[in-house]
Amino acid sequence: GILVDDATVTIENINWHLEQGKDVETAILDGAAQIVTPAFVSLLCICIVFVPMFFLEGIARFLFVPMAMSVMFAMVCSFILSRTLVPTMAKYLLKPHAPHTDLHGNNAALPPSRNPLARFQRGFEARFERIRDGYHQWLQLAVKHRRGFVAGFIAVIALSFLLVPALGRNFFPAVDTGQMLLHARVPVGTRLEETSRYFAQIQDSIRRVIPPQEIAVITDNIGLPSSPINNAYNNTGTIGPQDGDIQIALNKDHKPTADYMRELRERLPREFPMVTFSFLPADITSQILNFGSPSPITVQIRGRALAENRAYAKELLRKIRQIPGIADARIQQTANYPTLNVDIDRARAQQLGITSRDVTNSMVISLAGSSQVAPLWWLNPENGVPYQVVAQIPQYKLDTLPGLESLPVNAVNATEPQVLGAISEITRSVTPAVISNRDILPVIDIFATPQGRDLGSIATDVQKVIDESAKAAPLGTTVTLRGQITTMNQAFTGLLLGLLGAVVLIYLLIVVNFQSWADPFVIITALPAALAGIVWILFTTQTPLSVPALTGAIMCMGVSTANSILVISFARERLLATGNAVQAALEAGFTRFRPVLMTALAMIIGMAPMALGLGEGGEQNAPLGRAVIGGLMFATTATLFFVPIVFSIVHARHGRASSSSSAPVSGHPHVVN
C-alpha cells in the first residue's frame, strides 16, 4: 500500500497540471517539482517512525527490527523510482488534456465513446466529482462553524480513548495451528506400567471428544526420557514415571482447536479426578514466547521456609483458581513423592567393620548398576572396540521390602558378609519430587494459562490476589508474577515509548523542513485521530491490544503524517498566493482530496487480506492490518476536515483583511470564506 503512494501522488499531480491545459512535458516538470518536497518529507516521516524500534530490547527487537529495515529500504527505492521512472513513463504514456478545471460538466462536452473502458472512466469521474463536491460543501460548513467543529472533534477523540481499558492486552494473538500438547500427571509415585494404563484411558476419552476424521496423529510420551540431554530440553514439567505428554495433531479441515481444548478441560478432570491435566504450548512460536516455561503465567514463591511456603502456595492457588479466565492452575513441584528411608545403625555397622560409604556403594551397585561407582570395560580383541560391563540385581527381585532388606552389603573391612536389613531400618516417607531454586533460595511455582480472556486482564487480577495475600506470606518470602506477562510488559513499554518518540521525531523533522513551528503542529493534529481509529477498530472487532497492533499504530503514524503534509504544503502555497487562510484551506482540501483518498485506499486495500486473517497462521498479523486500517480511516477524515480547519485557525491573521471576500477554488465556483 505505502509503496505505491509516491507514484500515485506523482501521477495524480501531473494529471492535475494536464487538466490546467499544459503540455505533457511541462505538466510532468511542474507536477514533479511541486510535490518533491512534501514527498521527500513524507518519506522521511514514514521511515523515521521505525527508528525507535532499533532501541527495543529482547524478543521485540528480534521480531521488528528486520521489518523496520525492510520497510525503510523499500520506501527509499519507491521514492527514487517515483522521481525518475514514473515521470519518464508518463512522458510516453500520458496525453494532453483539453483545458478544464475539474468540473464534471466537461465530460458532457466530450464526444460519445463506444470504448467500455472510456465510458467507465467517464462515469466514475462524474460520480467522483459529485462526491468531491459534497465533501467541499461539508468542508465549507465545517469552516463556517470551525470552533464548534474543532471542539466536538477533540471531544470525540478524547472520549474514544476511554475504550482502551476494554480492549485487553495480549503479547501475541493466538494462532490455531491444529496442535495440542496435553500434560497429565497421575498420582505421584505411580509405576510406569500403571501410568501407561491411565494414558490409554485418557486417549480413549480424547477420541470420544475429537472426531476420528479430524485426528491426524496422537502420540504419548510417558515418563522420563532415557537420555539426560532430552530431559534438559523438556519444558513440560516431566519429573518421573507418573508424568506424560499427549501430543495431538489435527487434520487440515478441523474445528477450532480452542473449542476442543475447552471441552477437554471440562471433561477430563471429571473422568479422571486423581489426574492433573494442563495444556502446554504446542507450537514453536508459543514455546519461544514463554521462554521455556510451561505456561504464560507463573507465580513464584521464593523463601527459605519451604514447608510454610508450600502451605501459603496452596492457599494462593485456591484464590487464583477463582479468577475468571484462568485454566490449568497448578503447583508444579509436588511434595509427596514416595520415598524409602534407610536409617543405618552406625554402632552395629562399626562393630562389623562397615561404613556408611560401604552401604551407599552397595545399594547403588545393586539398584542402579556398577557403572556409577565401579565402571568396568571389556576390550574385544577381535575388533578393538571397548564395551561397558554393568552388574546389577534384576529389578523383579527387589519389588518388596524383604527383597530390599536382603541386599548384600560389601565392605573391605567387614568381619563377615552382611545384608542391608541387618544393619539398618527401612521406613516409608514422602519427599519433594523436584526442588527448584532461584538465586539460591528454594522456589515454588504456580502455573496458569488464560482461556477466554486476554493475558493482561488475567495478570492484573493475579497481581491483585498476590497483593491482597501479601500479609499472609511467611516471613522472608517474596511472591513474584513472572512468565510471558513480564516480556509483554517490556515489549509494550518499548513500543509505546517508540510511538511517542515517533511523534516527536516526526514533529521535529517537519519543523526543520518547513522552518515553522505552527504548520508542523497542524500536521500532527491528525495523529490523535489515527490512534482513536485504532482503538475503535480493535474494540469493534474484539481484538486485544498486542505487539502487532502497536506496530501497526507506529506504521500508521508515518502514513497519516504523509497525507497531512500533502494537504498543508499545498495550503501554504495557496496562502502565499492569496493571503487568505480560509481560502487556502478550502483549496487545499478540495485539490488534495483525490490523492489523499487514493493513498489511503491503497493502504487500506493492501492491508485488507492481512486484517481478515486469511491463510494459515493469519491470526498472527491480523491486529497489525486492523490497526492500520482503523487508524487510516480516522486519520484520513481528520486530514480532510480537521487539519484544514486547524490551518485556517492558526493562520487566521492572514485572512482578517479579506474576511468577507470570496474567491474561486481551482475553477470551482463560489468558494465562500
Side-chain angles (χ1 to χ4, degrees), residues 251-589:
N251 288 317
K252 189 171 184 180
D253 298 325
H254 61 84
K255 294 181 181 178
T257 307
D259 293 345
Y260 287 135
M261 292 172 62
R262 186 178 295 106
E263 186 174 353
L264 290 172
R265 280 189 173 117
E266 297 175 357
R267 180 169 184 168
L268 293 178
R270 289 199 306 265
E271 297 183 2
F272 307 93
M274 299 295 292
V275 183
T276 302
F277 296 96
S278 57
F279 282 91
L280 309 182
D283 58 284
I284 188 65
T285 303
S286 301
Q287 294 175 14
I288 291 174
L289 294 178
N290 283 348
F291 281 88
S293 175
S295 297
I297 298 175
T298 304
V299 179
Q300 289 190 340
I301 298 97
R302 187 167 65 98
R304 298 183 183 277
L306 191 58
E308 291 83 353
N309 287 346
R310 189 170 298 280
Y312 173 71
K314 291 181 179 178
E315 179 62 21
L316 199 60
L317 176 63
R318 183 186 65 82
K319 296 180 179 179
I320 289 176
R321 282 176 172 167
Q322 297 174 359
I323 297 175
I326 282 285
D328 302 336
R330 76 271 185 197
I331 295 177
Q332 178 67 9
Q333 296 87 348
T334 180
N336 57 344
Y337 200 88
T339 306
L340 295 176
N341 290 334
V342 180
D343 187 9
I344 302 174
D345 187 342
R346 297 179 183 273
R348 179 169 174 76
Q350 188 175 10
Q351 291 175 357
L352 299 173
I354 299 174
T355 64
S356 299
R357 178 172 182 170
D358 296 330
V359 176
T360 301
N361 288 344
S362 298
M363 291 183 65
V364 169
I365 291 174
S366 301
L367 300 176
S370 59
S371 62
Q372 301 291 324
V373 294
L376 179 64
W377 296 84
W378 174 71
L379 179 64
N380 188 343
E382 295 183 359
N383 57 14
V385 177
Y387 296 92
Q388 189 174 18
V389 180
V390 180
Q392 182 180 350
I393 296 178
Q395 290 187 10
Y396 66 87
K397 292 187 177 182
L398 299 174
D399 56 357
T400 62
L401 278 179
L404 187 62
E405 290 175 342
S406 64
L407 277 178
V409 177
N410 300 316
V412 177
N413 299 324
T415 56
E416 57 184 14
Q418 296 292 330
V419 294
L420 184 63
I423 59 174
S424 64
E425 179 183 2
I426 302 177
T427 58
R428 295 181 182 274
S429 67
V430 294
T431 187
V434 61
I435 297 177
S436 305
N437 291 277
R438 184 181 180 90
D439 297 335
I440 304 177
L441 294 178
V443 166
I444 298 175
D445 293 316
I446 299 177
F447 291 136
T449 303
Q451 177 180 270
R453 285 184 70 194
D454 60 282
L455 178 62
S457 300
I458 292 178
T460 301
D461 292 344
V462 172
Q463 187 62 54
K464 189 181 299 182
V465 169
I466 294 173
D467 296 339
E468 292 173 353
S469 305
K471 295 182 180 179
L475 188 64
T477 296
T478 58
V479 183
T480 310
L481 178 61
R482 300 186 184 276
Q484 195 180 115
I485 183 67
T486 304
T487 311
M488 183 185 78
N489 288 335
Q490 292 175 351
F492 272 41
T493 301
L495 288 173
L496 288 173
L497 290 176
L499 186 63
L500 179 62
V503 175
V504 173
L505 289 174
I506 286 173
Y507 179 70
L508 296 178
L509 175 67
I510 305 173
V511 166
V512 172
N513 281 274
F514 279 32
Q515 295 294 306
S516 168
W517 293 97
D519 289 334
F521 170 77
V522 175
I523 291 171
I524 66 170
T525 54
L527 300 186
L531 295 176
I534 294 171
V535 171
W536 271 107
I537 196 167
L538 294 181
F539 178 79
T540 305
T541 58
Q542 296 183 346
T543 305
L545 198 62
S546 60
V547 169
L550 288 177
T551 307
I554 292 177
M555 184 181 295
C556 191
M557 295 299 100
V559 181
S560 303
T561 306
N563 285 338
S564 296
I565 290 173
L566 202 62
V567 173
I568 295 304
S569 61
F570 190 85
R572 284 163 57 93
E573 291 182 11
R574 299 310 302 160
L575 180 63
L576 293 176
T578 63
N580 190 314
V582 173
Q583 181 179 341
L586 291 172
E587 289 190 21

Side-chain angles (χ1 to χ4, degrees), residues 48-100:
I48 206 169
V49 298
F50 292 99
V51 171
M53 288 191 175
F54 291 90
F55 298 96
L56 294 176
E57 296 181 354
I59 191 170
R61 176 181 177 84
F62 295 106
L63 286 171
F64 295 111
V65 165
M67 186 190 73
M69 294 178 66
S70 64
V71 172
M72 292 170 70
F73 280 102
M75 286 301 302
V76 170
C77 292
S78 171
F79 175 79
I80 294 174
L81 290 175
S82 68
R83 306 271 71 81
T84 55
L85 180 63
V86 171
T88 303
M89 294 180 66
K91 166 71 174 174
Y92 296 101
L93 297 178
L94 295 183
K95 305 296 182 183
H97 289 195
H100 62 87

Side-chain angles (χ1 to χ4, degrees), residues 608-643:
M610 181 186 294
L612 295 174
L614 301 177
E616 192 170 351
E619 305 96 329
Q620 194 80 57
N621 289 322
L624 190 152
R626 292 169 188 170
V628 172
I629 289 175
L632 275 181
M633 290 173 64
F634 276 60
T636 303
T637 303
T639 299
L640 294 175
F641 286 96
F642 188 71
V643 169

